[in-house]
Amino acid sequence: MLDPKDEAPDYRPALVICAYDADEEAWDPVEDLSGEPWSPAGARTLAVAGGEPEGLAAVLSAHLDDRRCRGLLLVGRTRRSDGFRLQIRAENRALDGGGRLDETGPGMARATAPVAEIVRALGEAGLTADASSESEDDAGSYLLYRVLSGLQDGPDTPAIGLLRAPEHEPDAAVQRAVKAAAQAMARHFSPLPRSRAN
Protein backbone atom coordinates (compact mmCIF):
# COMPACT_ATOMS: atom_id res chain seq x y z
CA MET A 1 0.00 0.00 0.00
CA LEU A 2 3.02 2.26 0.23
CA ASP A 3 3.14 5.04 -2.34
CA PRO A 4 4.71 3.67 -5.54
CA LYS A 5 5.56 7.13 -6.94
CA ASP A 6 9.23 6.87 -5.99
CA GLU A 7 11.31 6.46 -9.13
CA ALA A 8 14.60 5.58 -7.45
CA PRO A 9 14.48 2.79 -4.88
CA ASP A 10 14.22 4.15 -1.35
CA TYR A 11 15.65 1.70 1.14
CA ARG A 12 14.54 3.63 4.17
CA PRO A 13 11.74 2.04 6.20
CA ALA A 14 8.45 3.92 6.18
CA LEU A 15 6.76 5.60 9.13
CA VAL A 16 3.10 6.47 8.63
CA ILE A 17 1.96 9.62 10.44
CA CYS A 18 -1.78 10.16 10.66
CA ALA A 19 -3.58 13.08 12.29
CA TYR A 20 -6.84 11.13 12.41
CA ASP A 21 -9.26 14.02 12.94
CA ALA A 22 -10.15 15.39 9.51
CA ASP A 23 -10.36 18.92 10.98
CA GLU A 24 -6.87 18.79 12.54
CA GLU A 25 -4.51 21.10 10.70
CA ALA A 26 -1.62 21.31 13.18
CA TRP A 27 0.47 18.60 11.51
CA ASP A 28 1.61 19.50 8.01
CA PRO A 29 4.39 17.20 6.83
CA VAL A 30 5.38 19.48 3.93
CA GLU A 31 7.55 22.27 5.29
CA ASP A 32 8.71 24.10 2.21
CA LEU A 33 7.97 24.71 -1.45
CA SER A 34 9.65 21.46 -2.53
CA GLY A 35 6.49 19.54 -1.75
CA GLU A 36 8.56 16.83 -0.07
CA PRO A 37 7.33 15.69 3.34
CA TRP A 38 9.61 16.00 6.34
CA SER A 39 11.27 12.74 7.36
CA PRO A 40 13.33 11.75 10.40
CA ALA A 41 16.86 10.44 9.93
CA GLY A 42 16.84 6.85 8.71
CA ALA A 43 13.18 6.69 7.72
CA ARG A 44 10.70 8.24 5.34
CA THR A 45 7.33 9.50 6.38
CA LEU A 46 4.03 8.81 4.71
CA ALA A 47 1.28 11.21 5.68
CA VAL A 48 -2.22 9.74 5.82
CA ALA A 49 -5.02 12.28 6.02
CA GLY A 50 -7.65 11.98 8.71
CA GLY A 51 -11.16 10.87 7.97
CA GLU A 52 -13.97 8.50 8.84
CA PRO A 53 -12.59 6.00 11.40
CA GLU A 54 -13.77 2.75 9.78
CA GLY A 55 -12.24 3.58 6.41
CA LEU A 56 -9.15 5.08 8.00
CA ALA A 57 -8.54 1.91 10.03
CA ALA A 58 -8.57 -0.13 6.81
CA VAL A 59 -6.11 2.25 5.10
CA LEU A 60 -3.72 2.24 8.08
CA SER A 61 -3.89 -1.55 8.40
CA ALA A 62 -3.09 -1.92 4.69
CA HIS A 63 0.03 0.23 5.15
CA LEU A 64 1.09 -1.88 8.13
CA ASP A 65 0.63 -5.07 6.11
CA ASP A 66 3.42 -3.85 3.83
CA ARG A 67 6.64 -5.04 5.46
CA ARG A 68 8.45 -1.87 4.33
CA CYS A 69 6.30 0.03 6.84
CA ARG A 70 7.90 -0.14 10.26
CA GLY A 71 5.74 2.24 12.24
CA LEU A 72 2.58 4.25 12.70
CA LEU A 73 2.21 7.42 14.73
CA LEU A 74 -1.37 8.47 15.32
CA VAL A 75 -1.74 12.15 16.24
CA GLY A 76 -4.74 13.61 18.02
CA ARG A 77 -5.89 15.82 20.88
CA THR A 78 -6.69 15.29 24.54
CA ARG A 79 -9.01 17.17 26.87
CA ARG A 80 -7.63 15.38 29.92
CA SER A 81 -4.13 16.82 30.14
CA ASP A 82 -2.29 20.12 29.87
CA GLY A 83 0.75 18.30 28.47
CA PHE A 84 1.42 15.94 25.61
CA ARG A 85 0.40 12.38 26.30
CA LEU A 86 1.44 9.04 24.87
CA GLN A 87 -1.48 6.63 25.18
CA ILE A 88 0.02 3.23 25.85
CA ARG A 89 -3.06 1.06 25.50
CA ALA A 90 -6.50 0.96 23.96
CA GLU A 91 -9.57 -0.94 25.09
CA ASN A 92 -11.80 -3.17 23.02
CA ARG A 93 -14.68 -0.71 22.66
CA ALA A 94 -17.00 0.18 19.84
CA LEU A 95 -16.56 3.65 18.39
CA ASP A 96 -19.73 4.86 20.12
CA GLY A 97 -18.35 3.64 23.48
CA GLY A 98 -21.16 1.11 23.98
CA GLY A 99 -20.06 -2.50 24.03
CA ARG A 100 -17.09 -4.30 22.59
CA LEU A 101 -15.69 -3.60 19.15
CA ASP A 102 -14.67 -7.25 18.70
CA GLU A 103 -16.51 -9.93 20.66
CA THR A 104 -13.64 -12.41 20.31
CA GLY A 105 -10.71 -9.96 20.46
CA PRO A 106 -8.57 -9.21 23.51
CA GLY A 107 -9.99 -6.76 26.03
CA MET A 108 -7.06 -4.41 25.56
CA ALA A 109 -4.12 -3.87 23.21
CA ARG A 110 -0.77 -2.28 24.12
CA ALA A 111 1.09 0.24 21.99
CA THR A 112 4.33 -1.12 20.52
CA ALA A 113 6.12 2.22 20.10
CA PRO A 114 9.11 2.99 22.38
CA VAL A 115 7.02 5.05 24.80
CA ALA A 116 9.72 5.93 27.35
CA GLU A 117 12.05 7.15 24.61
CA ILE A 118 9.32 9.22 23.00
CA VAL A 119 8.44 10.88 26.32
CA ARG A 120 12.14 11.59 26.88
CA ALA A 121 12.47 13.05 23.35
CA LEU A 122 9.47 15.31 23.93
CA GLY A 123 11.04 16.53 27.17
CA GLU A 124 14.32 17.24 25.37
CA ALA A 125 12.33 19.25 22.83
CA GLY A 126 11.08 21.44 25.70
CA LEU A 127 7.59 19.93 25.86
CA THR A 128 5.76 18.59 28.89
CA ALA A 129 4.82 14.97 28.27
CA ASP A 130 3.83 11.77 30.01
CA ALA A 131 2.57 8.28 29.23
CA SER A 132 -0.90 7.13 30.22
CA SER A 133 -2.78 3.85 30.08
CA GLU A 134 -6.05 5.80 30.23
CA SER A 135 -8.06 5.50 27.02
CA GLU A 136 -10.26 8.27 25.71
CA ASP A 137 -13.57 7.53 24.03
CA ASP A 138 -12.69 8.83 20.59
CA ALA A 139 -11.44 7.84 17.16
CA GLY A 140 -7.82 7.75 18.38
CA SER A 141 -8.45 4.97 20.88
CA TYR A 142 -10.61 3.13 18.36
CA LEU A 143 -7.91 3.31 15.68
CA LEU A 144 -5.15 2.31 18.08
CA TYR A 145 -7.07 -0.81 19.11
CA ARG A 146 -8.07 -1.67 15.54
CA VAL A 147 -4.56 -1.51 14.09
CA LEU A 148 -2.91 -3.25 17.05
CA SER A 149 -5.43 -6.08 17.18
CA GLY A 150 -5.22 -6.55 13.42
CA LEU A 151 -1.43 -6.94 13.23
CA GLN A 152 -0.16 -10.07 11.59
CA ASP A 153 1.97 -12.40 13.70
CA GLY A 154 5.65 -12.21 12.90
CA PRO A 155 9.06 -11.13 14.13
CA ASP A 156 8.87 -7.61 12.67
CA THR A 157 6.15 -6.01 14.78
CA PRO A 158 5.83 -2.37 13.70
CA ALA A 159 6.10 0.43 16.25
CA ILE A 160 2.61 1.84 16.79
CA GLY A 161 1.81 4.75 19.07
CA LEU A 162 -0.77 7.44 19.78
CA LEU A 163 0.45 10.94 20.59
CA ARG A 164 -2.13 13.31 22.05
CA ALA A 165 -1.61 17.06 22.16
CA PRO A 166 -3.42 19.32 24.62
CA GLU A 167 -6.67 20.59 23.16
CA HIS A 168 -5.53 24.18 22.57
CA GLU A 169 -1.82 23.59 21.95
CA PRO A 170 -0.48 25.81 19.14
CA ASP A 171 0.39 24.24 15.80
CA ALA A 172 4.13 24.93 16.13
CA ALA A 173 4.33 22.94 19.38
CA VAL A 174 2.33 20.06 17.88
CA GLN A 175 4.69 19.94 14.91
CA ARG A 176 7.71 19.93 17.24
CA ALA A 177 6.16 17.09 19.24
CA VAL A 178 5.36 14.98 16.17
CA LYS A 179 8.91 15.37 14.87
CA ALA A 180 10.43 14.45 18.24
CA ALA A 181 8.20 11.37 18.52
CA ALA A 182 8.91 10.31 14.92
CA GLN A 183 12.66 10.67 15.42
CA ALA A 184 12.52 8.56 18.58
CA MET A 185 10.58 5.86 16.74
CA ALA A 186 12.84 5.91 13.66
CA ARG A 187 15.95 5.31 15.77
CA HIS A 188 14.66 1.75 16.26
CA PHE A 189 14.16 1.02 12.56
CA SER A 190 16.79 -1.02 10.76
CA PRO A 191 17.40 -0.42 7.04
CA LEU A 192 15.29 -2.48 4.71
CA PRO A 193 16.96 -5.44 3.02
CA ARG A 194 17.11 -4.69 -0.71
CA SER A 195 14.82 -7.62 -1.47
CA ARG A 196 12.19 -6.12 0.83
CA ALA A 197 12.52 -2.59 -0.49
CA ASN A 198 11.86 -3.56 -4.11
Side-chain angles (χ1 to χ4, degrees):
M1 174 92 186
L2 295 177
D3 193 347
K5 287 191 297 193
D6 300 336
E7 293 178 12
D10 190 336
Y11 297 112
R12 296 175 298 166
L15 170 62
V16 173
I17 300 178
C18 176
Y20 51 83
D21 185 343
D23 297 328
E24 179 61 66
E25 297 177 357
W27 169 244
D28 181 1
V30 179
E31 298 183 303
D32 56 34
L33 298 177
S34 72
E36 291 296 315
W38 171 87
S39 292
R44 63 188 175 108
T45 55
L46 296 172
V48 173
E52 182 273 320
E54 283 281 336
L56 191 53
V59 169
L60 296 174
S61 292
H63 276 297
L64 291 168
D65 285 343
D66 187 320
R67 294 178 61 190
R68 294 172 295 174
C69 182
R70 295 284 179 83
L72 165 64
L73 180 62
L74 295 166
V75 180
R77 297 284 181 166
T78 180
R79 293 179 181 87
R80 298 183 183 176
S81 175
D82 292 331
F84 287 87
R85 173 162 281 183
L86 260 293
Q87 184 172 319
I88 61 174
R89 68 177 195 156
E91 296 175 11
N92 183 351
R93 280 195 204 150
L95 189 55
D96 63 7
R100 291 170 65 93
L101 171 65
D102 182 349
E103 289 301 322
T104 59
M108 177 280 283
R110 290 196 166 278
T112 56
V115 173
E117 289 184 39
I118 294 172
V119 170
R120 187 169 33 256
L122 292 170
E124 290 169 359
L127 303 166
T128 302
D130 68 0
S132 174
S133 59
E134 182 180 2
S135 287
E136 298 191 25
D137 293 329
D138 67 357
S141 294
Y142 169 84
L143 290 168
L144 185 61
Y145 181 86
R146 278 280 307 270
V147 297
L148 287 168
S149 65
L151 287 176
Q152 297 178 7
D153 290 333
D156 295 332
T157 301
I160 299 172
L162 169 52
L163 174 66
R164 293 183 179 276
E167 189 174 15
H168 301 294
E169 194 72 21
D171 292 358
V174 175
Q175 291 171 12
R176 203 161 76 239
V178 171
K179 288 180 180 181
Q183 288 168 337
M185 291 173 75
R187 281 194 285 270
H188 289 265
F189 298 167
S190 57
L192 296 177
R194 290 183 184 270
S195 62
R196 208 185 271 184
N198 292 329

